[in-house]
Amino acid sequence: VEALAAFDGCALKKTATNLVFADGNPQARIMFVGEAPGADEDRAGKPFVGVSGQLLDRMLAWIGLDRARFYITNIVFWRPPGNRTPTSDEVAACLPFVVRHIELVAPAILIPVGGPASEALLHRGEGISKSHGRWYDYQTPGLAAPIPAMPIFHPAFLLRAPAQKRAAWRDLLSLEQKMGELGFS
Ligand code: URA
């Protein structure tokens, strides 16, 4: 966190109020990685505390997860003005911190939340409508072994497209099944 707070390579820092790093339990075995802080997160200095975050929390409660049992962060640590999607430069500037963050936490399961997080971490080039609910290997030189990773729809998208909630539910059941296979449901 100190390294990030001292980092001036991301221009978003100038317009944001707070650095938004992470929430939940860093010892948890599941790590969620979203897109970027919104207005509520910028104010609170915590990820996923606004309406999207509340929906995500409710959805994860379906499979028995709360913030004591997962860890959550974003691919960008400062709020983009007006909640626009972060640019590829902004994502690229923050990515080394995100990768190091994942390596240090070394979760058993990694869940990119939404298209931009999925693309930044898994580079599938196929869009979230294809990649959601599929399991991939997340591997970096700093990890002892690949981490199973499954992208899910972003809750902000589900708020706009509630018909996709059925698919989101299936993806969460797949996550629950993976947790069972890994022996921690
Ligand atoms: N959406 C995100 O992707 N991240 C947050 O922290 C809040 C909303």
Side-chain angles (χ1 to χ4, degrees), residues 90-168:
E90 289 158 358
V91 172
C94 291
L95 195 61
F97 292 93
V98 178
V99 170
R100 191 71 195 121
H101 196 185
I102 296 169
E103 290 171 350
L104 288 170
V105 172
I109 295 177
L110 180 68
I111 307 287
V113 181
S118 181
E119 192 49 37
L121 297 174
L122 300 171
H123 320 289
R124 302 299 307 177
E126 60 192 0
I128 191 71
S129 57
K130 275 197 113 168
S131 61
H132 79 92
R134 294 192 185 167
W135 289 95
Y136 301 93
D137 277 340
Y138 179 76
Q139 174 79 83
T140 67
L143 284 171
I147 303 174
M150 179 189 72
I152 60 172
F153 286 125
H154 197 287
F157 168 71
L158 296 175
L159 288 168
R160 294 192 304 272
Q164 297 299 321
K165 282 188 184 171
R166 279 174 71 91

Side-chain angles (χ1 to χ4, degrees), residues 15-173:
T15 49
T17 307
N18 279 304
L19 166 68
V20 177
F21 188 59
D23 194 26
N25 179 357
Q27 259 98 51
R29 297 177 69 192
I30 307 183
M31 182 167 181
F32 291 85
V33 184
E35 181 176 328
D40 294 318
E41 289 77 19
D42 185 43
R43 215 172 295 123
K46 265 193 203 181
F48 285 98
V49 294
V51 277
S52 296
Q54 289 161 20
L55 174 59
L56 185 65
D57 281 348
R58 283 200 302 280
M59 291 172 57
L60 294 177
W62 291 342
I63 57 166
L65 289 176
D66 61 27
R67 290 191 188 207
R69 298 194 62 211
F70 65 82
Y71 188 59
I72 189 161
T73 182
N74 286 302
I75 53 165
V76 163
F77 301 99
W78 293 275
R79 179 192 181 211
N83 296 347
R84 60 166 172 72
T85 302
T87 64
S88 52
D89 282 355
E90 289 158 358
V91 172
C94 291
L95 195 61
F97 292 93
V98 178
V99 170
R100 191 71 195 121
H101 196 185
I102 296 169
E103 290 171 350
L104 288 170
V105 172
I109 295 177
L110 180 68
I111 307 287
V113 181
S118 181
E119 192 49 37
L121 297 174
L122 300 171
H123 320 289
R124 302 299 307 177
E126 60 192 0
I128 191 71
S129 57
K130 275 197 113 168
S131 61
H132 79 92
R134 294 192 185 167
W135 289 95
Y136 301 93
D137 277 340
Y138 179 76
Q139 174 79 83
T140 67
L143 284 171
I147 303 174
M150 179 189 72
I152 60 172
F153 286 125
H154 197 287
F157 168 71
L158 296 175
L159 288 168
R160 294 192 304 272
Q164 297 299 321
K165 282 188 184 171
R166 279 174 71 91
W169 172 234
R170 279 196 299 272
D171 297 347
L172 291 184
L173 290 179

